[in-house]
Amino acid sequence: MILRLQMKLFPVISFVLFGGFVLAQKSEELIPKDAVTVFSINNISLLQKVSLDDLVKYDFMEEVQQELFDGSTSGKTIKESGIDFDQKLNVFYGRGETYEVSGFTFGIKDKKQLFEVFDDFEQVKSPYPGTEFYTSYFNNLIISGNSALLIRVEPNMNTVDEMTDSIWYARGNENPWYSEDSMDEGIESDEEILEEEIYEEMDDESKPESGYDFPSAEENPNEKNYYELRDSVQIVLQNQFLTALCEELLIKKMNLVKFDSRFAEQLTHTSEGIFYLDNSRNVQEARGLWYFQTMFPTLYKDMQEVYTGNVLMGDLLLNETSVEFKMEARYGEALGSIYQKMNDSKFDKNILKYINQNNTAYFTYNVNMREAYEQAYKVIMPILTDERNPQMSANVLTIELLNEFVNKDALFGTYKGSMFGTFNGVKKIKTTKIEFIYDENTFEYYEKEVDAEEDMPIFTLGFSTERSDIPEKVLKHLARLTSRFQNMGDYWVYEDAILEAAPLYMISKNGMFIFTNDEDLAKNHSNGYGSEALSAKQAKKAKKSGFMYGQIDWAKAIDGFPRDFFTEQENELIDAMRGKTGVMELTTSKTSKEKTNFDLVYNFGGNYDNSGKYLLDLLNSIYVISK
Amino acid sequence: MKLFYSFLLIFSFLGLTSCIEIIDDISLKNDGSGTLKYTINLSSSKVKINSILALDSLDGKKVPSIPEMEERIVSFKKKLSAKTGISNVTIESDFTNYIFKLQCDFTSVIALQNALKDVIEEESKEKNIPELDHNWLSWDGTKMTRSIPEITVKKTKEIKSEDIELMKQGNYTSITRFERPVEKFDNTAAVLSKNKMAVMIKTNPYALTQNSNILENSIYLSPIKN
């Protein structure tokens, strides 16, 4: 439990403790190449703005301190943890085909102090020259020079289960999951039935004379049961994987910095934090694709190539009144050619008419579906055609025939790819309820349907269309099928469509097809909001952004939601956020064949000492929720 | 009551105690037999209920599906029907407006209480629920005494404090009907029907948490005319 908490606290610690650029020993050189996701914190700037004394006042820090100091050194602070704040802290996670790896690397300033913190760890003989090795249950602490790697390697349970089953059956055992009782009842009870309860429920005649009947020791105590065997397999695999990883990292000196020059380059950035996610390796290791891998190995390999070079890299910048997250999505030529065609689209100004300047949140999305389809067809079809497999050949034929027969002008004319969405807070919507009406003479009662109001989040989703006649055809047909569908002139209404209680409105005008539960938009603004629409400045930002633009006013979003929409824990987070919220804006660059840039800026107001403290407030809120 | 208990459990974690309406209606004949009608009306929260039912789980707890709720209702009906002194059990479930109506005939109020207690205990994971020792109905031929089952009060008090405002919007209506006129009753909050054959008390779940005796009433009937 403690270990799990420690592991859970890795990211918390990572956000909080340390970092820093240092030219001597580099903690990042201990990041294994298996890491697929890395978040690296340069803490000099963060700590310049947040004092450690303030830091330790947070809820999550109390827990971290209790956990790390283990009670024996109560009264100490992170300052006394022996950690070198001049080095970076790198939090990493990776998932391979057979195991997962997680941990963090950091610098050491005072080893004695460090082991007062990590007092659960015991030193073992290190098989790797120049390193010290410490273990605590499943966690391993490896010290090399003045840097440390805290790492946990866990075999995938599928691998463990497969190997356990293999050994189990090879030993001549029966199916470990077979149970006559559960087979009889068809389902397995979640409740644990105690033997005492079975005894109490027995007829008197059935009860053994000696009272409680203990199970006989008929099983061979030297023979492991299934669970014991599985635990053994897990531990053996864990050691094997850790050994392989350590040999690569500590003997061959192969780390992520050497393995991926893009990561090495990203590390040179002077932002407060950097982010790295190798999506191509995520695709390779995606366990959900095992069928694809097994059935169509050639195709799988070719598709992997399409994903080659797909990596996300980002910088986190903390400013006095804003947090900025700059992200760059890089991809290979094949995928890049599809993205580039997809984003070669003219912005539809009609969209802007339907976004109210007071909306709590909105986004615009502008892609060219036709171009994207044609390019994807060019890139992917040759790969599919190369696969020598009857099932795939049939699929290829189907796609080719559809490509020939389907009216693409009509299809992509109906949905061109440009769309928008808005969230307009929570409003009272009209619904009905049943009231009981009492007769004064007898107090007999009867039911009467009356009008009522309930809170509902108001959403709008619309897309550009050149063929409004096609959705109109569908609507007319639906109206013939049910009276709940009605043409109201400027708009269509589908009664009780949302949660079987609220109406859904559809507007088909001005080259737009819009779904909304906003009665005001449907009834009063079916041609757009006019002067109430987005300001010219806001509209320009949306138009100038690449394929996507988004904005959220957190203050409105949070204040607008009624408390009973959330659980008690969620309300705790919201309370922590109240009065501290601002505007979050997402912009994107023009997409090239190589990359697309995303820029997420969180400008905030409220009572902050600085952005680092604000980030910690956020972190603390998240911690309180997950506690 | 059990149905209320089950729904209260569900809706307490959903924060939906807001607009719950309960009608607890007992018709008592001169011989002590009678009919119980118990109605739960959640129609004013149907948007919320539908949105929650669309989820698999909420706040770490599994959200029951409509078939699961139907199954529980059938099970409850079956168990109640099997109890001594209980007959003609019907449960109407309206999953559009979320209105649930239980009706059953009983041979005596003792039989009714025992049957409900047994079913609650059978359905509950808890054993030996002390609140079930409490008798909330008694009838001696001329005087009917009613209160609220302690188990209901206990569960109502467990509702989170932040839902208090919402609880004030709920309704709990207790009606007792007779075959002969009511002579007098103790509870000053109660009202007598114009035909003098029924007594009604209305409150809300919040008031119930503040004063569990709020629905307590002793009703005295006029003598039987020979």
Side-chain angles (χ1 to χ4, degrees):
Chain A
M1 188 67 191
I2 289 167
L3 289 167
R4 205 183 305 154
L5 183 58
Q6 277 182 348
M7 292 303 289
K8 185 181 155 191
L9 291 172
F10 276 6
V12 174
I13 298 165
S14 72
F15 261 90
V16 170
L17 292 181
F18 13 56
F21 275 106
V22 114
L23 298 172
Q25 176 71 46
K26 289 181 177 173
S27 57
E28 52 270 30
E29 284 169 6
L30 289 177
I31 304 170
K33 81 170 186 32
D34 302 76
V36 171
T37 309
V38 182
F39 193 66
S40 225
I41 306 257
N42 164 12
N43 217 35
I44 285 179
S45 35
L46 184 68
L47 291 180
Q48 275 172 352
K49 295 167 188 169
V50 181
S51 83
L52 281 171
D53 290 326
D54 283 342
L55 200 64
V56 297
K57 290 176 189 163
Y58 286 99
D59 292 332
F60 66 83
M61 286 307 299
E62 276 176 30
E63 296 280 352
V64 171
Q65 289 194 100
Q66 281 168 13
E67 203 52 54
L68 293 178
F69 291 101
D70 209 17
S72 58
T73 52
S74 58
K76 289 192 177 182
T77 68
I78 297 298
K79 280 177 180 173
E80 298 151 290
S81 63
I83 286 162
D84 181 2
F85 291 96
D86 288 332
Q87 288 197 48
K88 280 192 174 197
L89 172 92
N90 309 286
V91 187
F92 62 85
Y93 171 79
R95 191 176 64 198
E97 207 173 323
T98 49
Y99 63 88
E100 287 179 20
V101 57
S102 59
F104 61 92
T105 71
F106 56 93
I108 302 170
K109 200 167 193 174
D110 186 329
K111 213 189 287 179
K112 186 172 171 288
Q113 280 189 332
L114 183 80
F115 282 102
E116 283 172 8
V117 174
F118 292 96
D119 60 349
D120 283 341
F121 284 78
E122 283 181 17
Q123 187 164 15
V124 293
K125 193 182 171 200
S126 173
Y128 312 106
T131 63
E132 293 169 34
F133 215 99
Y134 301 84
T135 64
S136 171
Y137 299 94
F138 297 117
N139 295 331
N140 305 278
L141 179 67
I142 301 163
I143 297 177
S144 173
N146 58 355
S147 295
L149 162 67
L150 185 59
I151 189 167
R152 184 168 185 158
V153 177
E154 294 204 52
N156 293 340
M157 282 319 287
N158 282 349
T159 309
V160 173
D161 288 344
E162 271 174 31
M163 201 167 281
T164 309
D165 287 351
S166 172
I167 299 169
W168 180 257
Y169 292 121
R171 288 178 177 177
N173 293 306
E174 297 292 330
N175 182 351
W177 312 115
Y178 178 76
S179 158
E180 279 186 13
D181 293 342
S182 62
M183 293 294 280
D184 288 346
E185 289 179 16
I187 50 165
E188 212 169 307
S189 170
D190 289 340
E191 286 177 60
E192 189 187 355
I193 300 168
L194 300 173
E195 291 188 34
E196 290 88 331
E197 288 176 355
I198 296 171
Y199 178 79
E200 280 168 16
E201 286 177 12
M202 280 180 181
D203 298 334
D204 286 343
E205 289 174 13
S206 313
K207 287 181 180 173
E209 284 177 17
S210 58
Y212 184 64
D213 191 18
F214 291 96
S216 58
E218 59 192 356
E219 288 177 10
N220 181 354
N222 295 318
E223 188 77 27
K224 286 181 177 176
N225 67 29
Y226 184 84
Y227 299 103
E228 288 165 342
L229 180 64
R230 191 168 64 174
D231 287 347
S232 300
V233 168
Q234 187 175 2
I235 288 168
V236 169
L237 285 177
Q238 202 159 34
N239 288 333
Q240 273 182 10
F241 295 147
L242 179 67
T243 303
L245 186 146
C246 288
E247 279 182 5
E248 190 171 59
L249 183 69
L250 304 170
I251 293 177
K252 294 179 186 167
K253 304 287 180 190
M254 175 51 74
N255 54 44
L256 186 65
V257 181
K258 284 186 183 168
F259 178 72
D260 194 334
S261 58
R262 297 166 303 186
F263 176 63
E265 195 273 325
Q266 191 70 13
L267 280 172
T268 62
H269 292 198
T270 53
S271 51
E272 276 80 358
I274 65 119
F275 174 75
Y276 163 91
L277 167 64
D278 187 350
N279 238 339
S280 61
R281 281 194 286 157
N282 258 349
V283 172
Q284 282 169 25
E285 310 302 351
R287 276 170 285 177
L289 296 174
W290 68 270
Y291 177 81
F292 196 43
Q293 279 171 286
T294 316
M295 297 302 292
F296 311 111
T298 317
L299 175 61
Y300 177 72
K301 200 167 171 292
D302 290 341
M303 290 304 284
Q304 264 184 311
E305 278 172 26
V306 172
Y307 268 87
T308 301
N310 195 328
V311 65
L312 285 175
M313 285 184 295
D315 286 287
L316 181 73
L317 305 157
L318 303 180
N319 307 311
E320 283 304 311
T321 57
S322 69
V323 175
E324 190 170 1
F325 192 51
K326 286 177 175 290
M327 201 163 64
E328 186 174 284
R330 294 189 196 175
Y331 25 78
E333 201 180 329
L335 208 57
S337 69
I338 298 172
Y339 289 157
Q340 195 182 30
K341 290 283 183 186
M342 181 189 264
N343 293 315
D344 181 17
S345 174
K346 198 176 167 213
F347 190 87
D348 185 351
K349 287 179 190 169
N350 280 326
I351 278 176
L352 302 170
K353 288 185 198 170
Y354 289 94
I355 303 174
N356 191 295
Q357 56 185 288
N358 293 319
N359 275 153
T360 306
Y362 64 90
F363 74 88
T364 61
Y365 185 73
N366 184 36
V367 296
N368 188 331
M369 288 300 285
R370 177 69 180 260
E371 289 286 331
Y373 168 79
E374 299 292 0
Q375 186 62 23
Y377 193 85
K378 268 189 215 164
V379 171
I380 294 169
M381 282 309 283
I383 298 172
L384 297 179
T385 313
D386 281 350
E387 179 70 29
R388 304 275 174 229
N389 177 290
Q391 191 185 335
M392 190 51 70
S393 292
N395 291 342
V396 167
L397 179 63
T398 309
I399 296 167
E400 284 181 339
L401 290 176
L402 283 171
N403 186 56
E404 293 296 334
F405 294 147
V406 167
N407 182 348
K408 283 178 276 179
D409 290 338
L411 182 64
F412 295 113
T414 306
Y415 177 57
K416 295 194 290 183
S418 293
M419 63 187 293
F420 77 98
T422 69
F423 167 57
N424 197 13
V426 175
K427 286 184 182 172
K428 297 276 180 204
I429 54 130
K430 282 181 185 164
T431 177
T432 57
K433 66 176 180 179
I434 303 297
E435 263 186 13
F436 287 91
I437 309 295
Y438 296 87
D439 177 275
E440 283 185 10
N441 192 44
T442 61
F443 289 156
E444 290 296 342
Y445 43 91
Y446 63 93
E447 291 175 21
K448 188 181 175 190
E449 190 175 87
V450 296
D451 289 338
E453 286 184 332
E454 278 199 72
D455 289 326
M456 186 177 268
I458 301 296
F459 290 101
T460 299
L461 195 69
F463 59 86
S464 306
T465 181
E466 285 169 355
R467 294 292 305 270
S468 55
D469 58 308
I470 293 175
E472 288 275 350
K473 266 183 199 168
V474 177
L475 293 175
K476 280 176 188 164
H477 177 73
L478 290 170
R480 283 195 293 270
L481 288 179
T482 168
S483 59
R484 286 166 67 189
F485 244 102
Q486 290 174 54
N487 185 347
M488 309 300 284
D490 283 342
Y491 61 92
W492 288 75
V493 64
Y494 182 21
E495 297 292 349
D496 296 340
I498 302 171
L499 300 169
E500 295 182 28
L504 175 70
Y505 303 96
M506 284 149 283
I507 302 165
S508 179
K509 273 186 169 185
N510 306 314
M512 298 295 301
F513 192 82
I514 297 167
F515 296 95
T516 185
N517 59 349
D518 189 343
E519 189 183 15
D520 178 54
L521 172 61
K523 290 188 176 171
N524 306 320
H525 303 286
S526 65
N527 284 314
Y529 283 106
S531 60
E532 292 171 39
L534 281 185
S535 67
K537 193 181 164 192
Q538 285 172 307
K540 196 176 171 187
K541 277 185 182 178
K543 275 193 279 186
K544 267 185 73 180
S545 185
F547 76 98
M548 196 173 185
Y549 178 80
Q551 199 179 88
I552 302 171
D553 184 332
W554 280 111
K556 274 191 201 168
I558 285 172
D559 289 340
F561 268 101
R563 293 188 69 86
D564 59 326
F565 262 56
F566 300 99
T567 63
E568 201 172 345
Q569 277 191 325
E570 285 162 345
N571 272 316
E572 277 190 56
L573 171 71
I574 289 161
D575 286 343
M577 296 283 289
R578 277 183 213 278
K580 290 183 179 179
T581 51
V583 173
M584 189 181 276
E585 184 183 44
L586 173 74
T587 53
T588 57
S589 69
K590 288 288 174 199
T591 298
S592 71
K593 267 190 177 178
E594 293 81 33
K595 63 176 186 179
T596 304
N597 288 90
F598 298 81
D599 197 1
L600 187 67
V601 183
Y602 193 176
N603 291 297
F604 45 76
N607 302 318
Y608 310 104
D609 294 337
N610 56 53
S611 53
K613 186 163 186 318
Y614 175 73
L615 199 67
L616 293 171
D617 284 349
L618 258 176
L619 190 69
N620 197 49
S621 306
I622 294 164
Y623 176 74
V624 167
I625 275 188
S626 62
K627 207 163 54 169
Chain B
M1 303 308 155
K2 169 61 188 165
L3 210 56
F4 169 67
Y5 174 72
S6 299
F7 278 104
L8 202 60
L9 283 181
I10 295 167
F11 296 122
S12 61
F13 84 73
L14 300 181
L16 282 175
T17 46
S18 48
C19 302
I20 189 168
E21 180 179 17
I22 295 163
I23 305 170
D24 178 356
D25 178 346
I26 292 179
S27 298
L28 200 64
K29 292 179 182 164
N30 287 336
D31 64 359
S33 68
T35 302
L36 167 73
K37 288 182 192 172
Y38 200 84
T39 303
I40 298 171
N41 176 9
L42 295 162
S43 63
S44 54
S45 296
K46 62 186 172 189
V47 172
K48 277 184 193 169
I49 297 172
N50 279 325
S51 61
I52 286 159
L53 286 175
L55 304 172
D56 287 337
S57 64
L58 185 75
D59 205 10
K61 290 162 189 158
K62 189 180 179 301
V63 175
S65 64
I66 288 179
E68 281 168 344
M69 284 194 266
E70 282 172 334
E71 203 176 296
R72 290 289 298 270
I73 289 167
V74 169
S75 160
F76 179 81
K77 182 182 168 186
K78 205 171 156 186
K79 284 176 181 165
L80 188 59
S81 301
K83 299 297 166 201
T84 310
I86 302 295
S87 58
N88 302 324
V89 180
T90 59
I91 300 181
E92 286 176 39
S93 312
D94 172 357
F95 283 101
T96 303
N97 288 306
Y98 296 99
I99 297 175
F100 305 91
K101 295 174 187 170
L102 160 73
Q103 182 170 333
C104 68
D105 293 340
F106 54 86
T107 53
S108 71
V109 290
I110 307 271
L112 176 67
Q113 279 181 129
N114 289 342
L116 289 171
K117 285 177 185 179
D118 285 354
V119 180
I120 289 169
E121 209 152 53
E122 283 169 31
E123 291 271 303
S124 173
K125 285 181 183 172
E126 285 178 63
K127 299 289 171 199
N128 304 319
I129 305 167
E131 286 80 10
L132 289 179
D133 294 337
H134 167 243
N135 287 326
W136 63 93
L137 294 171
S138 73
W139 166 248
D140 66 4
T142 55
K143 186 178 97 175
M144 170 77 168
T145 305
R146 287 195 68 170
S147 59
I148 285 288
E150 279 185 6
I151 186 80
T152 307
V153 176
K154 182 191 170 199
K155 289 293 160 192
T156 309
K157 281 183 176 172
E158 285 172 9
I159 293 168
K160 288 179 286 182
S161 55
E162 60 260 34
D163 291 333
I164 281 177
E165 280 307 311
L166 303 171
M167 286 161 63
K168 287 177 183 173
Q169 296 166 26
N171 273 315
Y172 194 112
T173 305
S174 169
I175 302 171
T176 318
R177 305 171 193 284
F178 303 95
E179 285 189 318
R180 59 187 203 267
V182 172
E183 205 161 68
K184 61 174 182 172
F185 47 84
D186 292 346
N187 193 321
T188 51
V191 288
L192 186 63
S193 65
K194 280 186 179 169
N195 69 0
K196 300 193 185 308
M197 310 281 262
V199 176
M200 175 161 72
I201 308 177
K202 275 191 171 185
T203 185
N204 61 54
Y206 173 73
L208 201 58
T209 60
Q210 299 302 299
N211 177 9
S212 57
N213 299 325
I214 201 163
L215 293 176
E216 206 164 290
N217 200 8
S218 292
I219 306 165
Y220 302 87
L221 304 188
S222 59
I224 299 174
K225 290 175 186 171
N226 292 318

